[in-house]
Amino acid sequence: MNLSMKWLSDYIKKDIPAAEFCAGMTMSGSKVECYETEGSEVKNVVVGQLLSVVPHENSDHLVVCQVDVGQGEPIQIVTGAPNVSAGDIVPVALVGAELPGGIKIKKGKLRGVESCGMLCSLGELGLTTHDFPYAIADGIFLIQEDCRIGQDIHEAIGLNDTSVEFEITSNRPDCMSVVGLAREAAVTFDTPLCVEEPAFTGTDEDINEILKVDIENEVLCPRYAAGLVRNVKIGPSPRWMRERLRASGVRPINNLVDITNYVMLEYGQPMHAFDLRYVKDSHIIVRNAKDGEEITTLDGQVRRLSPEMLVIADTEKPIAVAGVMGGEYSGIMDDTTTVVFESAYFEPVQVRRTAKKLGMRTDASARYEKGLDAEGCLRSLTRALQLVQELGAGEPVASHIDVVKSIKPRNEIPFDPAWINGFLGTDIPEETMVRTLNGLGIEVRDGVCISPSFRIDLERPADIAEEVARIYGYNNIPSTVLTGAANAALTPDQKFLRTIENTMVSLGCYGILTYSFISPKYFDKIGLPEDSRLRKTITIMNPLGEDTSIMRTTTLPSMLEILAGNYKNRNAGVKLFEVGKEYIPTEEGQLPSEPSRLTVGMYGEDVDFFELKGTVEALLSEIGISDCEYVRASEDNTFDEVCALHPGRSAVILCKGQAIGYLGEIHPAVQETYGFGTRVYAAKLCATEMLPLAQTEVTYKETPKFPAITRDLSLLCEDTLPVGTMEKAIKGAVGKILEKVTLFDVYKGQQIAEGMKSVSFSISMRSSEGTLTDEQADAAMKRVLKALGDLGASLRE
């Protein structure tokens, strides 16, 4: 919303510097984006009068002008403009002047004749013929305004307004108007608000004998008001109106159209003007569109309508899309003589859906979809007819049509100054609160705040407290220490996830955050089978596009996308992690299951399978998960996405027989799909399922009192026998005296038969009850050798 400071001065009789105004309004809750003064790029341009215009002696198309610029001696300017003559009043850019586009005026010679400046066109001043309809677009601007020679051009033609741009939140549609912002400014700067109730005197005709209005859908249109203007005279709007529209970012067109735009900006109520000739049988019907019905809108586009859309129609066809845009033949034309003004309330959600479905977003729809003031329809209509009369644009009919089906009652909210002060931590006097609320249009009566009809956001006592606080000044509220019985704490699940995140950072990984919405093509990129259960997903009903059309059932593709982006950007090596959610469909009509997942991804010169496995093991140790097994991915079908991993360099992680994740090298075909030129490694851990398995409580363990006995074993076994299986057998055979088993060597090569390998373990044993004897250790080793023998392993000779 752009606010003209000149326009604002009609309602607030207080001179406030632009910077101070912007700061004050922002602090009171009306956020200012920026402000700009018109014509700021135009410097050293004045009003001049042409004393003489003679042909250039060395050119057929140039003329030499003597120009009076109010500095005593006239100056000489050479121009090629064909529309100048002696006596004309024109804008003159003096030597040293600056114009839009970075143009600077210097003294020079044209065909040997000195020129000390430049005569300006509208375009060179940053204006168009919409701003000054009497001017021509391709010639010098011949000023017809009341001005004096030598006067600065900004003052002479009204190019000196300051426009303030506000960011209006969706809950404050009342501030999408000059009057609404003026009300906020009046309270913010403690100055009276001067808003007069519109009124006009019209002809004595009865509008009901000329026009009929019916509402068929009173839910989508609870109120519709219409007025009539006879003997319309189409022409340019007066300069003051054109200036205000321009400063508000609206292009002036003609007096009738400008009046509707002016009222929309002033009161926030969009209006439309219909040419009565094109309203069949002079009967306006507010109804739902018929299936397959079409309308050609004002922009010349043919729009196909659907039954859920609301239209303004006559007895034959739609003539406007309600709240969005009028039809092609409903607009004001040069030969229009009788006009119907519309001021209505349309249900916000319906307007938004219609505008989006038709691909149309207009100033009107932007206001309607936020929710307008149904009680303000008649006031806006009266203001429009008042302007018609003041501008001599026609003869308004005094009577009007106002069809009211239902209007939502105003909210009544308890007013308790003590509660407000306790809620805010302030000591604001009740009189100050009442004065503030009354200034905002909120009536305080008998301990109740009656919300004005234009404030749809006020519903509860906290809303009233907010109104008091923002005008009082958030910066004026003293800081206080939080008191009370609040015992805020992280849940066990939150603590667990935070421990995971902190541990991953300590292991040298960077955290990332990816979208929960993904593309169905992600499944193809990781080679997921067509019948995979992961392809059963939650589909977004209204996605931004195909790339974000489903909820992910696996986090692996999201990690690979980020890794691929880093590789494409030539990052030599990265280690990333993400704690995110997967969305697993449940029963029909039920919300999906949302388990938390830790995804790890890495590549680089110092990264291999064992680096990834070490990272995962360090994490599991930190969160208290021990006795994990690593089995080939082909031996466990828990995770469908392991198809994206190298079959010989991947594993599923088991804890107490439950699969809690997987890790491994990405399959070469998948690496090629993502554009990797190096080996990539990834892991996924099921954080939600790991929480019950984790030992979150750290318990004290006594320092051993008795020495340990260590025995080393070098074993010969088949190459296909997993070391993890051997380690598990050792643990089971040694029993409770086992302290730790350490693998320290795996050898294949000379002196080892083909298809065999040598595996060496260091076994540490200790008892908490006394010093172990050699007999106890030997017995344990015999059990170990027997268990390993059952697996096909034997002592290496």
Side-chain angles (χ1 to χ4, degrees):
M1 173 69 188
N2 292 337
L3 175 66
S4 160
M5 293 297 287
K6 282 187 178 181
W7 201 344
L8 179 67
S9 65
D10 287 353
Y11 308 108
I12 296 180
K13 309 300 181 182
K14 185 175 183 178
D15 186 20
I16 308 171
E20 180 183 338
F21 175 80
C22 294
M25 292 295 284
T26 297
M27 290 302 294
S28 66
S30 301
K31 184 184 177 185
V32 175
E33 289 291 309
C34 61
Y35 71 92
E36 183 180 3
T37 301
E38 286 182 321
S40 58
E41 294 180 306
V42 178
K43 298 178 181 178
N44 205 21
V45 178
V46 300
V47 176
Q49 183 174 26
L50 303 183
L51 301 178
S52 66
V53 179
V54 299
H56 193 291
E57 58 186 13
N58 298 321
S59 174
D60 293 333
H61 70 277
L62 296 177
V63 293
V64 181
C65 306
Q66 299 297 320
V67 188
D68 180 7
V69 292
Q71 298 180 358
E73 292 294 324
I75 63 173
Q76 180 171 283
I77 295 178
V78 180
T79 181
N83 67 318
V84 293
S85 58
D88 288 342
I89 307 297
V90 295
V92 180
L94 304 176
V95 174
E98 296 180 12
L99 298 175
I103 299 173
K104 295 185 178 180
I105 305 303
K106 300 178 181 179
K107 183 186 293 187
K109 288 187 177 182
L110 294 177
R111 294 289 183 92
V113 177
E114 186 176 66
S115 181
C116 302
M118 185 179 80
L119 307 184
C120 299
S121 66
L122 279 175
E124 288 161 340
L125 296 175
L127 302 170
T128 69
T129 53
H130 291 286
D131 301 305
F132 293 92
Y134 60 78
I136 61 175
D138 55 355
I140 299 302
F141 177 25
L142 305 183
I143 301 174
Q144 298 179 16
E145 310 301 314
D146 184 12
C147 55
R148 66 180 188 278
I149 306 303
Q151 185 179 12
D152 184 270
I153 196 66
H154 298 90
E155 297 178 6
I157 63 174
L159 191 64
N160 57 354
D161 199 353
T162 297
S163 178
V164 181
E165 181 182 349
F166 286 88
E167 179 187 340
I168 307 300
T169 54
S170 58
N171 67 322
R172 291 300 304 275
D174 60 298
C175 287
M176 293 193 71
S177 66
V178 177
V179 171
L181 289 173
R183 184 183 300 109
E184 292 290 315
V187 179
T188 298
F189 296 100
D190 194 20
T191 187
L193 176 66
C194 307
V195 179
E196 297 180 0
E197 194 66 24
F200 70 98
T201 57
T203 63
D204 295 333
E205 288 183 275
D206 184 359
I207 191 174
N208 294 287
E209 297 178 357
I210 306 168
L211 182 69
K212 184 180 179 182
V213 175
D214 285 320
I215 299 177
E216 291 186 0
N217 191 330
E218 60 186 59
V219 175
L220 300 185
C221 179
R223 187 172 193 179
Y224 190 100
L228 194 68
V229 178
R230 295 282 202 181
N231 301 321
V232 169
K233 301 177 182 63
I234 304 297
S237 300
R239 177 179 140 182
W240 62 266
M241 180 175 282
R242 299 197 307 269
E243 287 180 2
R244 293 182 178 186
L245 292 175
R246 182 180 69 229
S248 301
V250 176
R251 185 183 67 181
I253 298 176
N254 61 50
N255 50 7
L256 263 296
V257 175
D258 291 351
I259 285 171
T260 60
N261 287 332
Y262 190 90
V263 173
M264 179 183 70
L265 293 170
E266 187 173 36
Y267 287 105
Q269 171 69 51
M271 299 188 66
H272 190 66
F274 296 99
D275 189 330
L276 188 60
R277 291 178 301 175
Y278 300 106
V279 180
K280 182 73 172 178
D281 298 328
S282 298
H283 187 182
I284 290 177
I285 305 170
V286 185
R287 62 171 172 82
N288 287 82
K290 298 174 183 177
D291 192 18
E293 207 165 25
E294 293 183 344
I295 183 174
T296 303
T297 47
L298 283 171
D299 57 3
Q301 299 292 317
V302 177
R303 313 280 182 178
R304 188 175 182 84
L305 306 174
S306 52
E308 72 275 9
M309 299 178 182
L310 192 70
V311 297
I312 312 301
D314 56 23
T315 56
E316 187 177 81
K317 63 189 181 304
I319 56 177
V321 181
V324 183
M325 186 179 287
E328 182 179 23
Y329 295 106
S330 70
I332 305 303
M333 305 179 186
D334 292 340
D335 59 346
T336 298
T337 59
T338 305
V339 167
V340 178
F341 277 105
E342 165 195 282
S343 179
Y345 178 89
F346 301 118
E347 198 275 327
V349 175
Q350 178 273 144
V351 173
R352 178 172 177 80
R353 288 175 177 169
T354 299
K356 185 170 184 179
K357 189 168 184 179
L358 294 178
M360 305 164 64
R361 184 170 175 83
T362 61
D363 286 339
S365 67
R367 286 171 165 79
Y368 273 121
E369 67 189 30
K370 289 180 172 62
L372 298 182
D373 178 11
E375 294 185 19
C377 293
L378 199 55
R379 180 175 62 249
S380 300
L381 178 63
T382 303
R383 176 58 169 158
L385 297 176
Q386 178 189 39
L387 289 170
V388 168
Q389 190 172 61
E390 289 180 357
L391 271 55
E395 299 173 2
V397 174
S399 59
H400 63 270
I401 295 176
D402 186 16
V403 182
V404 182
K405 294 296 184 179
S406 63
I407 294 182
K408 182 181 177 181
R410 301 186 181 191
N411 290 334
E412 295 188 1
I413 306 166
F415 175 64
D416 185 348
W419 182 89
I420 292 175
N421 276 323
F423 183 71
L424 298 176
T426 57
D427 190 20
I428 304 173
E430 180 178 348
E431 295 76 12
T432 302
M433 294 185 188
V434 172
R435 185 171 66 253
T436 295
L437 296 173
N438 288 339
L440 293 170
I442 304 169
E443 183 183 354
V444 181
R445 186 174 61 206
D446 300 328
V448 173
C449 291
I450 303 175
S451 171
S453 59
F454 53 81
R455 289 299 302 274
I456 62 173
D457 59 313
L458 301 180
E459 298 178 344
R460 53 187 67 84
D463 297 330
I464 299 299
E466 180 186 4
E467 297 303 296
V468 172
R470 67 185 182 86
I471 301 301
Y472 178 74
Y474 293 118
N475 54 315
N476 294 323
I477 298 177
S479 300
T480 56
V481 178
L482 182 65
T483 59
N487 186 23
L490 296 176
T491 65
D493 186 48
Q494 290 172 327
K495 289 180 181 179
F496 184 64
L497 294 179
R498 188 161 296 186
T499 300
I500 290 176
E501 291 172 343
N502 292 338
T503 302
M504 293 306 298
V505 171
S506 70
L507 292 170
C509 298
Y510 287 89
I512 63 170
L513 185 65
T514 61
Y515 287 116
S516 299
F517 310 144
I518 64 171
S519 168
K521 296 178 182 178
Y522 279 17
F523 297 140
D524 298 328
K525 294 179 74 172
I526 65 171
L528 198 66
E530 290 295 332
D531 60 348
S532 171
R533 55 196 166 189
L534 295 181
R535 288 185 180 268
K536 183 182 178 182
T537 60
I538 304 295
T539 302
I540 307 301
M541 293 179 62
N542 188 23
L544 295 175
E546 185 185 6
D547 289 345
T548 54
S549 60
I550 62 172
M551 304 291 287
R552 67 185 178 191
T553 53
T554 172
T555 55
L556 179 62
S558 300
M559 174 60 72
L560 293 177
E561 289 288 333
I562 302 300
L563 289 172
N566 278 272
Y567 184 80
K568 185 182 298 182
N569 290 325
R570 300 184 180 181
N571 286 339
V574 293
K575 296 179 181 179
L576 306 177
F577 78 92
E578 178 187 18
V579 175
K581 291 184 179 294
E582 293 176 342
Y583 300 85
I584 312 301
T586 53
E587 297 179 8
E588 187 70 27
Q590 300 296 315
L591 292 174
S593 172
E594 301 181 19
S596 297
R597 300 290 183 249
L598 167 68
T599 316
V600 184
M602 57 181 68
Y603 69 83
E605 291 184 0
D606 60 339
V607 173
D608 56 17
F609 177 87
F610 299 104
E611 172 72 14
L612 174 65
K613 185 171 182 286
T615 299
V616 171
E617 288 180 333
L619 170 68
L620 295 175
S621 174
E622 181 65 24
I623 60 179
I625 293 182
S626 57
D627 297 329
C628 289
E629 297 179 57
Y630 296 83
V631 301
R632 292 181 184 274
S634 59
E635 297 176 10
D636 187 283
N637 62 355
T638 304
F639 305 100
D640 286 10
E641 63 265 46
V642 295
C643 63
L645 303 181
H646 192 296
R649 300 169 187 163
S650 59
V652 171
I653 308 168
L654 302 178
C655 181
K656 299 180 181 178
Q658 179 181 351
I660 61 171
Y662 59 80
L663 64 112
E665 180 182 325
I666 299 300
H667 196 287
V670 176
Q671 292 183 26
E672 183 178 354
T673 299
Y674 280 93
F676 290 110
T678 185
R679 291 184 177 182
V680 181
Y681 301 87
K684 187 181 86 170
L685 295 176
C686 303
T688 298
E689 291 80 356
M690 286 161 54
L691 177 58
L693 303 173
Q695 183 62 42
T696 55
E697 295 293 332
V698 179
T699 56
Y700 169 75
K701 186 176 181 181
E702 270 190 351
T703 303
K705 297 180 179 179
F706 306 103
I709 293 179
T710 301
R711 298 288 174 88
D712 293 343
L713 288 178
S714 288
L715 305 160
L716 195 64
C717 63
E718 293 184 358
D719 192 19
T720 57
L721 179 63
V723 172
T725 302
M726 299 173 70
E727 185 175 318
K728 183 178 180 182
I730 293 172
K731 291 179 180 178
V734 174
K736 65 179 182 179
I737 63 172
L738 178 69
E739 185 173 60
K740 64 179 178 178
V741 179
T742 304
L743 172 72
F744 66 86
D745 183 58
V746 176
Y747 175 73
K748 292 186 290 185
Q750 295 180 358
Q751 300 177 356
I752 301 295
E754 185 73 21
M756 305 293 285
K757 63 182 176 182
S758 171
V759 181
S760 299
F761 292 99
S762 177
I763 303 172
S764 178
M765 296 170 284
R766 190 194 304 267
S767 172
S768 60
E769 299 174 355
T771 301
L772 288 176
T773 64
D774 288 339
E775 290 77 10
Q776 289 175 303
D778 291 341
M781 295 308 296
K782 286 181 181 179
R783 294 195 299 272
V784 168
L785 291 174
K786 182 179 184 307
L788 292 173
D790 294 340
L791 297 176
S794 61
L795 280 174
R796 183 179 174 186
E797 297 295 335

